[in-house]
């Protein structure tokens, strides 16, 4: 019986239908690989596509430093006026300036990271999605960990009045949750929903800590 089964299996594996299926499967995999390579090649700017690789690299580095410098200059020019505008909006509307800045400032400061991550993820390749996630995680680290560290250093060295307990607790809580989420090897839609809910949840946490528990 076992010999008959082996003969049947060998016959099935060598049949034209099975060979055709395997050929189609290999062809689909090759097409997907070629499609990913074509999409990754599109990352090179069109005006640099015909240049040698070394020249491309040099021009891309120069352009990147130029754009980063221009962006830093714009931040320096418009950061103080933006803070004044948000404070004035809070004064006119009667809403605490913290809540105004907590909603509007991230939309303005993180719009570039969001658009870039969406552009990478829309290509639907492993490399581009990894780049998109890395960019978002890097932005989160810069905005929360690095920004909070600078803020705490300013409060300490300049002996400023401390009235940010609720805000600090909310930021640290979000960082702890994001630490465990970022360590996962597989991220699902459920993970995305949890991350998206952290933003309104942090605002609600600050409101509860200030209005219910009386923290400053």
């Amino acid at each position: 019986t076992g010999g008959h089964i082996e003969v049947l299996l060998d016959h099935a594996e060598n049949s034209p239908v099975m060979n055709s299926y395997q050929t189609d499967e290999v062809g689909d995999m090759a097409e997907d690989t070629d499609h990913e390579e074509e999409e990754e090649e599109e990352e090179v700017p069109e005006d640099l596509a015909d240049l040698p690789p070394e020249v491309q690299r040099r021009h891309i580095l120069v352009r990147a430093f130029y754009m980063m410098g221009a962006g830093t200059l714009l931040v320096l020019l418009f950061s103080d006026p933006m803070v004044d505008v948000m404070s004035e909006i809070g004064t006119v509307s009667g809403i605490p300036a913290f809540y105004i800045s907590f909603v509007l400032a991230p939309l303005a400061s993180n719009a570039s990271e969001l658009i870039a991550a969406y552009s990478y993820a829309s290509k639907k390749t492993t490399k581009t999605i990894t780049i998109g996630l890395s960019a978002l995680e890097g932005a989160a680290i810069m905005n929360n960990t690095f920004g909070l560290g600078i803020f705490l250093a300013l409060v300490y060295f300049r002996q400023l009045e401390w009235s940010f307990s609720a805000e600090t607790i909310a930021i640290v809580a979000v960082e702890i949750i994001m630490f465990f989420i970022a360590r996962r090897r597989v991220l699902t839609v459920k993970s995305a929903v949890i991350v998206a809910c952290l933003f309104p949840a942090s605002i609600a946490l600050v409101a509860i800590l200030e209005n219910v528990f009386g923290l400053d």
Side-chain angles (χ1 to χ4, degrees):
T1 304
H4 286 86
I5 293 175
E6 292 179 357
V7 170
L8 291 174
L9 289 175
D10 291 338
H11 178 71
E13 290 177 354
N14 296 323
S15 64
V17 176
M18 182 62 69
N19 291 335
S20 176
Y21 172 76
Q22 292 176 347
T23 302
D24 292 341
E25 186 177 6
V26 173
D28 293 340
M29 293 176 63
E31 289 179 0
D32 292 340
T33 302
D34 294 339
H35 182 63
E36 289 186 3
E37 291 178 353
E38 289 177 359
E39 288 185 339
E40 290 176 1
E41 289 177 356
E42 292 178 357
E43 296 177 11
V44 179
E46 295 181 359
D47 57 331
L48 304 179
D50 297 331
L51 299 177
E54 291 297 328
V55 180
Q56 284 183 358
R57 183 174 180 273
R58 184 167 62 253
H59 279 77
I60 290 174
L61 287 175
V62 172
R63 185 175 299 180
F65 280 111
Y66 168 76
M67 296 181 70
M68 290 175 62
T72 303
L73 180 61
L74 291 176
V75 170
L76 293 175
L77 291 175
F78 292 101
S79 58
D80 284 343
M82 183 177 178
V83 172
D84 296 336
V85 169
M86 290 184 179
S87 299
E88 189 64 25
I89 291 175
T91 302
V92 173
S93 62
I95 301 174
F98 169 77
Y99 297 102
I100 299 293
S101 61
F102 212 82
V103 173
L104 296 181
L107 296 178
S109 61
N110 299 325
S112 60
E113 287 87 355
L114 180 61
I115 295 173
Y118 177 78
S119 176
Y120 279 119
S122 63
K123 296 181 179 180
K124 297 182 180 180
T125 65
T126 302
K127 181 179 179 180
T128 55
I129 291 177
T130 301
I131 293 174
L133 289 175
S134 300
L136 292 178
E137 289 180 2
I141 292 173
M142 288 295 293
N143 291 340
N144 290 342
T145 308
F146 190 65
L148 180 61
I150 293 177
F151 171 72
L152 294 177
L154 289 174
V155 171
Y156 176 79
F157 288 108
R158 295 198 175 186
Q159 300 296 318
L160 302 177
E161 180 183 0
W162 178 258
S163 58
F164 308 99
S165 298
E167 293 84 350
T168 303
I169 291 174
I171 293 174
V172 174
V174 171
E175 288 184 351
I176 293 174
I177 296 173
M178 283 302 303
F179 170 78
F180 290 103
I181 293 177
R183 287 178 60 85
R184 295 180 179 178
R185 298 186 63 86
V186 178
L187 298 176
T188 62
V189 177
K190 182 180 178 181
S191 304
V193 172
I194 294 174
V195 173
C197 291
L198 289 178
F199 180 60
S202 61
I203 299 177
L205 178 60
V206 172
I208 293 173
L209 292 175
E210 288 183 343
N211 300 323
V212 177
F213 294 94
L215 293 180
D216 50 6

